[in-house]
Amino acid sequence: MKTLFLLASFFALSFHSLSGKASPQETTVPKYAFEMLMQKIRQDFAQNPDITQGLEKYNVQDGSFTDVDYASIQRTNWPPLVHINRISDFVFAYTNPENRYYQDEDLYNKIEKGLEYWHERNPWCHNWWYNQIAEPQALGVLLIQMRTGKKQLPHELENKLLERIKKDGGNPAKWTGANRTDIALHWIYRACLSKDAETLEFALENVYNPVIYTTKEGFQHDNSNFQHGQQLYIGGYGDEILKGVTQVAMYTRGTRFAMPQERLNLISKFMRETYYPTIRGKYMLFDVMGRSVSRPGVPDKSHTALFAQRMEILDTVHAQEFREIISRLKEEKPADYAIKPQHTHYFRGDYSLHVRPEYTFDVRLVSNRTARCEYGNGENLKTYFMSDGCTNIVRRGNEYEGIFPSWNWSRIPGTTAPQLKEIPLAASDWQTPGTSDFAGGVSDSLYGITTYRYMDNYKDIQTGAHKAWFFFDEEIVCLGANISSTASEKVYTTVNQCLASSEPASISLSGKLQSMEQGEKHYKNPEWIWHDGIGYLFPKGGNIVAGQQIQSGSWYDINHSINRKEEVQNDVFTVCIDHGLQPKSGSYAYIVLPDKKTPEAVKKYSRNNLVEILQNDADIQAVRHKGLHIWQIVFYRAGRFQHKEMSIKVDKPCALMIKQTQGHAPVLHIADPGQTGQAINVIIQPRKKKAYTIRMQPAENPIYAGATQSFTLQ
């Protein structure tokens, strides 16, 4: 507490404000203040490493490591960085009283010679990230820790390294989002080491600068996050910005340089309502992580409990919520612990997230306003269809963990695609825009619709469909219509492709329940399938391809930056709908029941008939939930939906939901998935009641063109 008080006093008295200028006496900074800040940094990175392997590979002649390729310019997993990481381990071993090499003179000499070698060799990577973020951050932390050593580095050597960081580390002000924060971090390290108040102030300003709502890279007005253009990146770069911002916010907590309250509120809202809800248990949904989905172990986000632990201190108003998050990430509590129902359509991100205590279900789209999931740096090479209505269906969270090397990437759950033998690469590896002009959804925060007018004429895909998802409590209704293709392969809609359960799947055929045998088979008009606590109903029948089989591949197949070519095998369960070769005006209908623990529970549900599919064609897709008294309808063009209990006429394409709650006036929720900025007129005529006429005016701010508007029908 005394240290925190002194640091707070120092910041309050010694530094000028972010908006003002320093007076001559303000630039005289007590030396102890920088040391106190460095002590906080050391606490963040404290470790007691085993350096046996590093010592075995160390070349005493010149300070290099015998197994490191210093000439490599490899864009990912850059080999020379191993040198800095090992020297960093040496430093922490040398300065940790619990390590056997504590204050070891010979180890000190190896550290000094190793840093001299690094400075003189000056390795360079073709991926700017290593030169401007990874290397200078690691060097900064290493040098800060070395200041605690019994023997200090020569001033000349330390100054040379600091000058190199300054020269090559980049300017954070020239970047956006997570990259800006990451570069600013090593400016903080350098400012502390050089006792430079002006540099420290500049760095802190740039750490917090990305924590605003923007239409460019960064946090969007719908609470999603973009990086690399208009590309959804809730995980991946989302991890990076949360790591950096919360880290610095802890350093400056209680000082005049603390994160401004409005920015703390923004980061807390993103974490509580978007980032952590995409994590089930400790596993993140695979379609929000960008190209990192192709890296082993990345969906495991247990390490992000650190971010929540920081927020528990920084945002005391929501401390309990962050404690609940931490307990799930650490698996101290089950995946459903303290989960509250929510449904969000991210109209900026073309993404829908449906959360219930029992399960999580999402949908990722791409429109002409957003970018497809990237495959840069040789990573994520089979990702093409992941942006085209991809869905996750998870109860525990680990239903897809480690499946990706052995996935059939033409069968990504939720997508309608030709079964190509080779998955195409998008036109650009970094920022390929989508083509749909109608992709969006409507939501009331608990229920909603997501819709996607899909058409892709790229290469041999040549496939289109009108796709929609209708979200309730027990079920998600999935409809497809106007399915047409001229591709050279059959077109499938994939219901799911996940890790197989140890318990055999069950299928109901002509009212008879049977276990599904090993291997993939074709079934004509099954009523439903059950697997791993999830039911899949087929109310309109169809040609279903389903089964459980061993599939194989390698991480190298999907990520050339990982030299892991050994075969990976997984037992995989798949359910698809076969639309045949070059279908015309095809359709599908299936209902996902994500929390049915037994086949009997699916059978019981199938007899209730609570959900009605009222229309499913090129013009309209409509579903009614009789138990919840909710009507959900997508209009792909101006027209009329006609039912014996209600007719609805619209003059523009839209998605709408009508909730009829007993004792309350009906409520209309409506959105424009095309984000046209035009007014939409709706006439609702209930049976034997007066008609309602509603005019949805375009949002005053075009940023909100795809947002839901609500009207009470009175």
Side-chain angles (χ1 to χ4, degrees), residues 431-494:
Q431 297 183 36
T432 302
T435 57
S436 175
D437 60 359
F438 192 82
V442 65
S443 170
D444 70 344
S445 81
L446 283 177
Y447 308 104
I449 314 167
T450 300
T451 180
Y452 185 36
R453 184 158 56 202
Y454 168 59
M455 186 65 227
D456 195 339
N457 291 318
Y458 184 65
K459 294 195 172 180
D460 192 33
I461 297 170
Q462 307 298 318
T463 300
H466 291 180
K467 299 170 67 70
W469 296 261
F470 303 82
F471 296 91
F472 304 106
D473 289 319
E474 288 187 73
E475 59 281 282
I476 299 95
V477 181
C478 310
L479 300 183
N482 201 34
I483 300 170
S484 301
S485 176
T486 58
S488 59
E489 302 290 344
K490 282 186 172 185
V491 173
Y492 282 12
T493 293
T494 300

Side-chain angles (χ1 to χ4, degrees), residues 60-81:
V60 295
Q61 300 301 317
D62 61 5
S64 66
F65 291 95
T66 57
D67 61 336
V68 173
D69 179 7
Y70 292 93
S72 173
I73 57 175
Q74 185 174 306
R75 294 184 63 85
T76 54
N77 297 317
W78 186 45
L81 195 62

Side-chain angles (χ1 to χ4, degrees), residues 567-621:
E567 185 177 71
V568 175
Q569 289 191 341
N570 281 301
D571 195 4
V572 177
F573 171 77
T574 306
V575 182
C576 300
I577 301 170
D578 181 355
H579 303 293
L581 183 64
Q582 299 187 346
K584 296 180 180 179
S585 301
S587 65
Y588 66 80
Y590 64 93
I591 302 174
V592 179
L593 307 173
D595 184 42
K596 299 300 175 189
K597 295 179 175 57
T598 64
E600 289 70 25
V602 180
K603 183 177 182 180
K604 180 179 179 181
Y605 174 92
S606 67
R607 293 172 173 172
N608 289 337
N609 294 320
L610 287 175
V611 172
E612 293 180 295
I613 297 172
L614 305 175
Q615 193 167 335
N616 182 28
D617 55 40
D619 297 332
I620 294 173
Q621 290 171 318

Side-chain angles (χ1 to χ4, degrees), residues 4 7-9 11-12 40 204 251-259:
L4 179 60
L7 183 61
S9 300
F11 275 111
K40 283 175 170 278
L204 289 169
Y251 296 160
T252 59
R253 173 177 170 260
T255 76
R256 66 182 297 184
F257 284 91
M259 181 186 288

